[in-house]
Amino acid sequence: MRQPLVALVAAAVLVGAVPPDTGSAPMAETAVAASNTATVFYYTKTKSWPTTYLHYAPDGGSWTTVPGTQMESACTDWVKKTVDLGSAAGLQATFNNGSGTWDNNGGSNYALGTGTITVKDGVIAHSDPCADTGTGTGNQATVYYSTATSGWTTANIHYAPTGGSWTTVPGVGMTTACTGWWKKILDIGTATSLRAAFNNGNGVWDNNNSADYTIVTGTTTVKDRTVTANATDPCAAEPPDTEAPTAPANVTASATNTSVVVSWDASTDNKGVTKYQVTRTGGPQGTVVTDIGSTVFSDTGLEERATYTYTVKAVDAAGNTSPASAAATATTGDQAPAPASGTPLGTDPRKDPIYFVLTARFYDGDTSNDRGGSQHTKSGNAANNDPMFRGDFKGLVEKLDYVKALGFSALWITPVVLNRSDYDYHGYHGYDFYKVDPRLESAGASYQDLINAAHAKGMKIYQDVVYNHSSRWGAKGLFTPTVYGVRDTQWSWYYDEKAEGFEYDGLTVEPKSGKSYYNGDLWSTAEPTGNTCLNWGKLTGGKSAEGYTLYNCQWPSPTSGMFPKAYYHQCWIGNWEGEDARSCWLHEDLADFNTENTTVQNYLIGAYDKYIDMGVDGFRIDTAVHIPRVTWNRRFLPAIYDRVTQKFGTEAAKNFFVFGEVAAFVNDKWNRGSVNHSAQFYTWKERKEYSADDETAAIEQFTYENNLGTGNQPTSTNAVLNGNSYHTPDRSQFSGMNIIDMRMHMNFGDAPNAYGNGKDSDDSVNDATYNVVYVDSHDYGPNKSSTRYNNGTDAWAENMALMWTFRGIPTLYYGSEIEFQKGKQIDCGPTCPLANTGRAYYGDHLAGTVTATDFGTVGSASGEVANTLAQPLVKHLQRLNQIRGAVPALQMGQYSTDGISGQMAFKRRYTSGSTDSFALVTVTGDATYTGIPNGTYTDAVTGDVRTVSNGTLTVAAPGKGNLRVYVLNGPGKIGTAGPYLK
């Protein structure tokens, strides 16, 4: 017979995730002292065993003789056994069918306590599943309790009839009624009501926020702290859904070259719309029907100068289909002369370390597209011959080999859309979302050329995208304001006279003034038709900073009425962790989109479809936290993945990497207790239905999730090993958005601090192996520092050693490989020279030529770039990238610290098909690993070989910035010794 694994495990490990805490213990209860007996109930329905045996050992005592003692029938699907534990406070146990088939908790045994204990499908709880189900002659209360939100795998009701005594903790077990609901019929004698609390059998309570629940006779439901008396049976069969959605309204179709964008207003339905069917007629293909999840459809590859007609139907989950919409027609033009689209590389994004550049500040390949803007002289940039728009795509193409020589296979670039402000080189003031900013492009070096060139070198392009806001001058094609432009002696320097026919492109000088790139098409002293701005052109009574007279409607703001409410929000943020963080402006330069409006959604979806079609490999999403998760999950994320699937197939969509900036500049696991403003929150799907109207749904979601609180959020083990074993991650509840690891970023004052904080948050992230991890960026350094990281070269080396071996995707902000601009203020706005900031021009360090023969390997280099590549952190990075690239466990593996001593020490494993990669890592300090698989381990840093025969390996401290990576059956020493890895 197969023996239970009693002596082979170091510690008991429970199977399954611990349910989230839903509250503190109940108000009115008295704990009963634990006895030294245990009544063990075992669930047999999923086993179908004819007999069941309990094989056990009291804590500190001996095991029973195999197969143990036979258990007796208790009630339907349950057997039980009461055992005397003597003075022991618990027992170790396994179960079997008496014929050699065992349940030993996956090899870890079950650790059980005393009293009444249930074991159901690997989950331990405390309740009596066979307790009385209400057969008395007095008053009865039938109670249904929902665990759909908490995810509890069992439920108890602890109660006291009015005037009576409380049950013994944890109360009586409830039985499964239907999916998400538990039921109990209670005899309460002559009482007409009772007080109650609920628990999961493992000490997690729902006591109505310490107020207990009051439940009356009859049928009562309790769901999400809402009590409904005289309720209908929630498990009764629902009548079939026969109500069809409303027909889509306001269908429009517009053609550009041989593509047509079709958009429409969202339909409504009693249960919710799941998809739309777009029917196209016309052209040689005849009738074509396409299913899509969003309210915008980009139809490409059509015939030239052909007329197409579109109708749309809405479909709900039951398959009910709406009537067809009114038809919309568009006629295509000539084939676009643009270069052929690229194709995303489509590989697992965790394999690709990321190099992040501000394109306009990296390398100047074409000086003809340099632009300084209106602040060029005032900022001090002119004196440095340093226009804010300096670097470009041509420069990136020329220096792709530099990035590859560092070892990076993904390039994150700042937004590429046409920007409009007086200081917009960074790309976050989007104006025309459908146009690439010409200040970044050159002949032979368009954005498409950059994508194609990167892909040819095996490098990915991650495009920074903004869904939350436009420039302060609006968004071309959606809404742009007309601004009061009085041209008196004070303001003529700023407000250019309107130039009819002038169209802003960021590159062309407005012809009347002969000096401005920004004005000449927005300004007017005459009130425009349809103006909504209050008190147009009237004096405000105030003065500017320069002492100039101010007029109303001179400057965009959310409260002036200048922007239509349908498309833009009309307030300033007051509470950064409140609901208004999603519905108000961040800054005067960032006009906040009403992203719950269908027209706005369609505008943005259509724009970003263009860049998906060009073959980008992923999107970094700016200011993601300022759009509700429900809007991302309903509209934008499905639209992204639908488009990638439609254009490039399901495998490309699976690996299209979307990672969001959910900025939380605190050291909390949850951002000041607000789940809606915490990064990990955005990695999850919704867990309930909200109103069909997106704005109403946003408020409902905010209220619902914040009321549930941090203790009731979903948890995951996707990033964590099961002992030494890799397990298939459960991605079924993944929203589609990964995150920048803000908590590690904020705590990277030193590596051990970042490491500890990162581990503490991982259970609340859907899969932390996809977290994007960096020390500093174009916004902040650790602890919201406003300067670039300046803790020294050794600290940088240590940070890199951790990022390149711990879970997540290591990311480096341009120039950090030489501590570029360390200690300098990251951004001081338009009032000081960029050369003095953390966003200085990097090209001087890249002058010369460089070729890369592989990732992390320089073929040849000359000029200043050769000196750059010789710097100690560059050498460190190159070898880290070589090691990470050779060990799959360091790229995609889950991790664990079980059985490991050491400050930054962990084990990682990745198993897929014929690949089984297992690595032991320690950064800076010493470590001891126990309970590991026996075999031959080779350090990828030194080549040291260790044979493990007793499950233990001890590693001496390698020193700050250094590390050891012992790989089971590993490839040996990788690369050559450098200044830190030696």
Side-chain angles (χ1 to χ4, degrees):
M1 292 187 298
R2 179 184 174 190
Q3 295 294 318
L5 302 181
V6 175
L8 299 182
V9 294
V13 180
L14 298 184
V15 173
V18 177
D21 187 357
T22 60
S24 57
M27 290 178 61
E29 52 141 315
T30 303
V32 176
S35 68
N36 289 324
T37 63
T39 300
V40 181
F41 287 85
Y42 186 71
Y43 185 69
T44 61
K45 183 175 182 179
T46 52
K47 300 295 183 184
S48 300
W49 290 348
T51 57
T52 304
Y53 288 80
L54 172 68
H55 180 51
Y56 70 95
D59 292 349
S62 301
W63 284 82
T64 55
T65 303
V66 173
T69 59
Q70 186 170 347
M71 305 183 76
E72 62 198 51
S73 178
C75 56
T76 303
D77 300 328
W78 290 92
V79 294
K80 72 175 182 178
K81 188 66 180 178
T82 300
V83 298
D84 187 352
L85 300 178
S87 60
L91 68 154
Q92 295 279 313
T94 64
F95 303 87
N96 66 89
N97 68 349
S99 300
T101 300
W102 288 85
D103 171 9
N104 56 18
N105 194 22
S108 297
N109 301 333
Y110 289 98
L112 309 179
T114 58
T116 301
I117 306 158
T118 62
V119 180
K120 180 180 179 183
D121 297 333
V123 177
I124 301 169
H126 299 270
S127 63
D128 183 350
C130 302
D132 175 53
T133 58
T135 58
T137 58
N139 292 334
Q140 288 186 335
T142 300
V143 184
Y144 288 88
Y145 181 71
S146 172
T147 57
T149 299
S150 66
W152 290 356
T153 55
T154 190
N156 299 323
I157 181 170
H158 177 52
Y159 71 98
T162 302
S165 301
W166 284 83
T167 54
T168 302
V169 173
V172 296
M174 305 183 77
T175 57
T176 302
C178 58
T179 303
W181 285 97
W182 298 75
K183 177 182 179 182
K184 195 69 180 177
I185 301 175
L186 304 174
D187 291 323
I188 58 174
T190 59
T192 58
S193 64
L194 58 102
R195 295 173 63 199
F198 302 88
N199 65 84
N200 73 344
N202 283 321
V204 179
W205 287 85
D206 171 10
N207 56 19
N208 195 24
N209 286 329
S210 300
D212 295 332
Y213 290 97
T214 298
I215 297 171
V216 298
T217 55
T219 299
T220 301
T221 61
V222 181
K223 183 177 182 180
D224 299 331
R225 297 198 172 99
T226 299
V227 178
T228 304
N230 300 316
T232 58
D233 182 349
C235 297
E238 288 190 23
D241 177 14
T242 59
E243 182 177 331
T246 60
N250 298 323
V251 179
T252 62
S254 60
T256 303
N257 298 114
T258 55
S259 298
V260 175
V261 175
V262 186
S263 64
W264 57 92
D265 292 345
S267 297
T268 59
D269 184 71
N270 62 324
K271 297 293 186 181
V273 174
T274 57
K275 66 179 180 180
Y276 294 91
Q277 291 180 342
V278 183
T279 299
R280 182 189 76 205
T281 58
Q285 298 94 340
T287 301
V288 178
V289 179
T290 305
D291 289 347
I292 192 163
S294 62
T295 56
V296 63
F297 172 57
S298 298
D299 203 6
T300 58
L302 301 174
E303 291 294 310
E304 293 182 303
R305 297 178 294 283
T307 299
Y308 293 90
T309 300
Y310 297 84
T311 58
V312 186
K313 296 179 181 180
V315 184
D316 65 17
N320 298 310
T321 303
S322 76
S325 69
T329 300
T331 301
T332 59
D334 294 331
Q335 180 71 40
S341 296
T343 300
L345 296 183
T347 54
D348 192 315
R350 294 173 296 179
K351 295 180 178 180
D352 302 300
I354 302 170
Y355 192 71
F356 170 37
V357 301
L358 270 71
T359 306
R361 307 302 299 159
F362 188 64
Y363 188 75
D364 194 0
D366 177 7
T367 58
S368 70
N369 58 12
D370 293 358
R371 291 294 183 272
S374 66
Q375 305 297 304
H376 187 49
T377 300
K378 184 178 181 180
S379 66
N381 289 331
N384 294 328
N385 192 25
D386 184 27
M388 60 177 185
F389 266 95
R390 190 171 178 184
D392 45 40
F393 295 146
K394 189 172 188 294
L396 273 179
V397 170
E398 290 178 4
K399 298 303 176 184
L400 284 175
D401 267 32
Y402 170 77
V403 179
K404 186 170 183 176
L406 295 178
F408 293 93
S409 52
L411 192 63
W412 159 16
I413 60 173
T414 40
V416 305
V417 304
L418 175 61
N419 267 231
R420 185 166 191 166
S421 79
D422 296 318
Y423 216 62
D424 56 2
Y425 64 95
H426 42 65
Y428 298 99
H429 296 169
Y431 175 70
D432 188 344
F433 287 70
Y434 285 77
K435 181 181 179 66
V436 175
D437 201 309
R439 292 169 289 188
L440 300 176
E441 293 195 302
S442 309
S446 66
Y447 186 34
Q448 186 69 69
D449 292 323
L450 169 64
I451 295 168
N452 296 347
H455 287 172
K457 293 182 181 294
M459 301 169 68
K460 294 180 176 179
I461 296 292
Y462 296 149
Q463 179 179 330
D464 211 322
V465 295
V466 184
Y467 286 77
N468 177 67
H469 57 263
S470 71
S471 75
R472 66 172 178 260
W473 307 121
K476 184 181 177 184
L478 181 70
F479 174 79
T480 55
T482 301
V483 180
Y484 185 72
V486 62
R487 283 182 53 78
D488 57 21
T489 55
Q490 295 182 353
W491 286 107
S492 59
W493 64 273
Y494 192 81
Y495 293 98
D496 298 324
E497 185 178 358
K498 189 174 182 67
E500 295 298 335
F502 173 70
E503 184 174 336
Y504 169 79
D505 64 7
L507 196 63
T508 304
V509 175
E510 179 273 312
K512 277 197 174 182
S513 71
K515 62 182 177 61
S516 174
Y517 303 100
Y518 295 93
N519 306 341
D521 60 338
L522 295 178
W523 317 114
S524 176
T525 53
E527 185 172 353
T529 302
N531 169 58
T532 56
C533 187
L534 303 175
N535 299 313
W536 175 270
K538 294 182 180 179
L539 294 171
T540 66
K543 299 284 186 179
S544 73
E546 298 88 349
Y548 299 160
T549 303
L550 295 177
Y551 300 83
N552 283 306
C553 308
Q554 265 188 329
W555 194 261
S557 85
T559 56
S560 65
M562 191 178 294
F563 288 82
K565 184 177 182 180
Y567 298 161
Y568 285 89
H569 291 130
Q570 310 228 320
C571 53
W572 297 103
I573 292 179
N575 178 7
W576 290 83
E577 279 75 44
E579 191 279 327
D580 59 342
R582 70 99 189 164
S583 58
C584 297
W585 288 34
L586 297 165
H587 187 271
E588 64 185 11
D589 275 343
L590 309 177
D592 198 81
F593 283 131
N594 178 5
T595 49
E596 286 65 68
N597 175 275
T598 302
T599 302
V600 174
Q601 292 168 358
N602 291 344
Y603 175 84
L604 293 167
I605 291 169
Y608 290 125
D609 278 353
K610 168 180 176 175
Y611 305 106
I612 290 171
D613 290 354
M614 294 174 75
V616 296
D617 301 277
F619 286 160
R620 181 267 187 183
I621 297 177
D622 181 69
T623 52
V625 69
H626 298 292
I627 297 175
R629 185 180 75 179
V630 67
T631 304
W632 284 115
N633 287 349
R634 279 184 175 183
R635 309 300 176 203
F636 295 133
L637 292 171
I640 291 170
Y641 290 109
D642 283 351
R643 187 61 178 175
V644 180
T645 301
Q646 182 186 101
K647 190 74 176 177
F648 302 110
T650 54
E651 190 63 21
K654 174 185 172 183
N655 290 313
F656 189 87
F657 190 46
V658 177
F659 58 105
E661 177 207 26
V662 182
F665 301 116
V666 295
N667 293 333
D668 306 336
K669 179 174 182 176
W670 297 95
N671 184 10
R672 296 185 175 93
S674 176
V675 296
N676 283 277
H677 298 93
S678 300
Q680 60 267 48
F681 181 75
Y682 281 75
T683 66
W684 297 95
K685 288 182 177 178
E686 303 310 324
R687 41 190 173 161
K688 74 183 296 282
E689 289 293 327
Y690 299 103
S691 298
D693 176 72
D694 284 351
E695 186 166 3
T696 303
I699 297 171
E700 289 174 346
Q701 184 215 48
F702 180 89
T703 303
Y704 176 76
E705 293 289 356
N706 257 23
N707 284 346
L708 284 177
T710 60
N712 290 317
Q713 297 303 310
T715 57
S716 168
T717 60
N718 283 340
V720 183
L721 292 170
N722 184 1
N724 290 317
S725 299
Y726 179 87
H727 61 92
T728 302
D730 177 5
R731 305 273 285 172
S732 63
Q733 297 306 305
F734 174 52
S735 66
M737 185 186 293
N738 301 287
I739 53 171
I740 294 169
D741 198 321
M742 295 300 294
R743 194 171 185 204
M744 286 194 74
H745 165 49
M746 282 291 100
N747 286 280
F748 250 120
D750 62 79
N753 195 38
Y755 172 64
N757 277 275
K759 288 190 302 177
D760 182 52
S761 292
D762 284 354
D763 65 339
S764 59
V765 181
N766 182 272
D767 191 343
T769 65
Y770 289 84
N771 284 12
V772 170
V773 182
Y774 58 61
V775 174
D776 63 357
S777 72
H778 58 326
D779 288 324
Y780 290 104
N783 297 311
K784 207 177 181 181
S785 166
S786 61
T787 59
R788 288 196 70 160
Y789 189 76
N790 193 28
N791 284 15
T793 309
D794 289 353
W796 254 124
E798 184 177 53
N799 290 342
M800 291 174 181
L802 175 64
M803 288 193 292
W804 262 256
T805 55
F806 189 44
R807 60 98 187 110
I809 302 171
T811 302
L812 196 74
Y813 183 40
Y814 82 98
S816 293
E817 62 271 26
I818 62 169
E819 297 179 83
F820 180 61
Q821 299 294 92
K822 62 181 180 181
K824 295 292 182 66
Q825 187 172 351
I826 293 172
D827 175 33
C828 59
T831 60
C832 64
L834 280 167
N836 296 344
T837 73
R839 299 177 178 180
Y841 176 66
Y842 192 57
D844 294 339
H845 297 279
L846 303 178
T849 62
V850 57
T851 59
T853 55
D854 201 351
F855 292 102
T857 304
V858 178
S860 63
S862 64
E864 185 57 32
V865 70
N867 296 327
T868 300
L869 288 166
Q871 298 306 303
L873 286 179
V874 170
K875 297 296 185 184
H876 188 54
L877 267 177
Q878 289 172 320
R879 195 165 183 215
L880 284 171
N881 275 318
Q882 291 168 0
I883 291 171
R884 188 177 189 272
V887 183
L890 301 183
Q891 303 165 30
M892 300 165 289
Q894 296 160 346
Y895 76 95
S896 174
T897 59
D898 290 344
I900 301 173
S901 67
Q903 189 176 36
M904 287 187 289
F906 45 92
K907 55 188 173 183
R908 296 191 67 184
R909 191 171 208 151
Y910 177 72
T911 305
S912 178
S914 60
T915 299
D916 184 15
S917 177
F918 185 77
L920 307 174
V921 179
T922 183
V923 178
T924 299
D926 59 8
T928 298
Y929 306 85
T930 60
I932 59 174
N934 291 331
T936 301
Y937 291 79
T938 305
D939 178 23
V941 178
T942 63
D944 179 48
V945 178
R946 303 282 190 92
T947 300
V948 174
S949 58
N950 62 352
T952 301
L953 189 150
T954 298
V955 180
K960 188 161 186 173
N962 202 349
L963 78 157
R964 296 290 179 257
V965 184
Y966 280 89
V967 183
L968 181 62
N969 302 319
K973 182 179 179 180
I974 300 168
T976 58
Y980 289 99
L981 298 182
K982 54 188 177 181

